[in-house]
Amino acid sequence: MLKIATWNVNSIKVRLPAVLEWLGSAAPDVVLLQETKSLDEAFPRLEIEDCGYNLLVHGQKTYNGVAILSKRPLEDVFIGLPGGEDDEQARYVEATTGGVRVASIYLPNGNPVTTEKFPYKIAWMDRLAARADVLLGHEEPVVLGGDYNVIPADLDCYDPKAWRDDALCRNESRSRFRTLLHSGYVEAFRTLHPNRRSYTFWDYQAGRWQRGEGLRIDHLLLSPEAADRLDACEIDSGPRGGVKASDHTPIWCTLRE
DNA sequence: ATGGTAGGAAGCCTA
């Protein structure tokens, strides 16, 4: 079995103790990280390598930043999402490991929707769909995991009415998320748990974690060849309740070998 | 309740 997880850690520097603890207890084979907020030369490589992981990092100063951790070798590295030649934001990295093509995705938030941030998000989603189509053409197992900053349906939100016009809920965002599904990708969690209300993110503000008021915005999208092998998919809310917690918690799936 | 909290940067921006 191959266990693949994704986790928006909101600063790898601050979150390193929590990440190391979770690597030890959950023992994932592959981990996709987002919002590492670290220059590559400042990334705490040695501590993670000491846990038995190979490492691929793509970061920048202050914002964004993605990484892939794997117990297997990382091959055919691909950095950055095509189609944005002047795009400086570190939000996409891709590699092959354990026979699976994996991508760590930090999709733009897009708020406020009245600013240039929203069209940037939508254009980024169109670029992602184009790349996802290319990967489908290879007819290999692909897992596109990360913080999609999209609430796919009202079931995935504690208060859909309050969030209706937010960039995470807007139809422009949801329809493009569905485009990925229509093209052939399978969303692992909702496929295995059609009616379950679970979240991957709880805002630091207003006591959302304590109130159980969250959003499901971190997703694992599987190509048909990966979906054939899908065994399980669960959200591990444990890390969200820990000390110095990220506002996101890990979600993982297992693929049969 | 148009605030609230967290992180990184540097004296605000992003989420």
Side-chain angles (χ1 to χ4, degrees), chain A residues 6-60:
Chain A
T6 182
W7 189 7
N8 178 324
V9 292
N10 187 10
S11 169
I12 188 61
K13 181 182 172 188
V14 171
R15 218 66 62 208
L16 186 61
V19 169
L20 295 178
E21 182 183 2
W22 191 74
L23 291 177
S25 62
D29 297 290
V30 182
V31 187
L32 313 169
L33 299 180
Q34 300 86 34
E35 275 206 273
T36 51
K37 295 184 176 177
S38 174
L39 289 167
D40 293 350
E41 54 266 37
F43 200 98
R45 300 188 71 101
L46 295 179
E47 294 89 335
I48 291 171
E49 287 169 349
D50 282 348
C51 292
Y53 290 89
N54 298 296
L55 206 48
L56 168 60
V57 299
H58 173 44
Q60 65 181 95

Side-chain angles (χ1 to χ4, degrees), chain A residues 62-79:
Chain A
T62 312
Y63 304 119
N64 310 317
V66 286
I68 301 176
L69 284 49
S70 180
K71 291 186 173 179
R72 319 278 180 95
L74 289 159
E75 297 164 328
D76 300 320
V77 168
F78 187 92
I79 292 172

Side-chain angles (χ1 to χ4, degrees), chain A residues 221-243:
Chain A
L221 266 58
L222 277 53
S223 72
E225 293 78 7
D228 286 345
R229 294 165 48 187
L230 178 60
D231 175 71
C233 179
E234 299 293 339
I235 296 165
D236 182 357
S237 59
R240 183 61 182 87
V243 293

Side-chain angles (χ1 to χ4, degrees), chain A residues 29 44 86 95-96 118-119 136 146 168 189 207 250:
Chain A
D29 297 290
D86 54 348
T96 298
F118 190 57
L136 273 186
L168 279 62
F189 185 84

Side-chain angles (χ1 to χ4, degrees), chain A residues 1-6 29-30 143 188-189 192 220 222 230-234 251-255:
Chain A
M1 211 73 85
L2 193 70
K3 185 173 185 178
I4 302 175
T6 182
D29 297 290
V30 182
V143 175
F189 185 84
L192 291 180
L220 292 160
L222 277 53
L230 178 60
D231 175 71
C233 179
E234 299 293 339
I251 170 172
W252 56 264
C253 71
T254 49
L255 304 182

Side-chain angles (χ1 to χ4, degrees), chain A residues 105-162:
Chain A
I105 292 168
Y106 180 44
L107 210 145
N109 178 293
N111 283 303
V113 295
T114 52
T115 68
E116 70 290 342
K117 292 173 186 297
F118 190 57
Y120 172 72
K121 172 181 193 162
I122 298 307
W124 205 96
M125 295 189 79
D126 288 338
R127 290 163 58 197
L128 176 61
R131 181 62 189 168
D133 276 343
V134 169
L135 294 174
L136 273 186
H138 297 165
E139 300 189 11
E140 290 169 350
V142 180
V143 175
L144 306 178
D147 178 358
Y148 278 74
N149 269 314
V150 174
I151 300 165
D154 286 353
L155 177 61
D156 304 310
C157 180
Y158 69 93
D159 188 351
K161 284 178 184 168

